[in-house]
Amino acid sequence: GDEVVTGDNFTLRSNETLRGNLSVFGGNAVLEEGSRVEGSVTAFGGNTDVAGTVTGDLSVIGGSTRLRASARIEGDLSRLGGSLTQDPGAVIGGQSHRFTGPRITPP
């Protein structure tokens, strides 16, 4: 089923499979090489380090994303804030979206 982590880090170890969506609030998400999420991954306020496979979408809000050479995102990658480092060999099957927040101009 789905996994929700609040205020802590989450690591999916090599050869482990999560059958459901993963949501991490206020912590980092690490998907080791050979791991698999059969669903989507969403991270709020933390960094995401992906070396495994995500069969759905990857969404990162307020954190940086690292896609290692073995990473496979079968859906879309969406991010708001932070940076993206995509190693050669990492695959995004869908589209990659970078959103920016509203700009506030002082009076």
Side-chain angles (χ1 to χ4, degrees):
D2 294 343
E3 181 82 26
V4 178
V5 179
T6 303
D8 203 359
N9 297 323
F10 177 87
T11 299
L12 190 63
R13 304 275 181 219
S14 182
N15 298 317
E16 289 183 341
T17 298
L18 173 64
R19 290 178 177 84
N21 298 315
L22 171 64
S23 300
V24 180
F25 299 90
N28 300 318
V30 175
L31 306 179
E32 293 181 351
E33 186 172 353
S35 67
R36 181 177 179 88
V37 175
E38 294 179 350
S40 294
V41 175
T42 305
F44 297 91
N47 299 318
T48 307
D49 188 342
V50 180
T53 298
V54 177
T55 65
D57 299 326
L58 173 62
S59 302
V60 181
I61 301 165
S64 297
T65 304
R66 172 79 185 266
L67 299 180
R68 303 210 179 253
S70 57
R72 301 286 178 270
I73 310 301
E74 295 179 4
D76 294 337
L77 169 65
S78 301
R79 57 193 179 91
L80 174 62
S83 62
L84 170 64
T85 303
Q86 184 174 347
D87 292 353
V91 174
I92 301 171
Q95 297 183 346
S96 181
H97 306 280
R98 180 176 180 263
F99 299 99
T100 58
R103 295 185 185 264
I104 300 173
T105 306

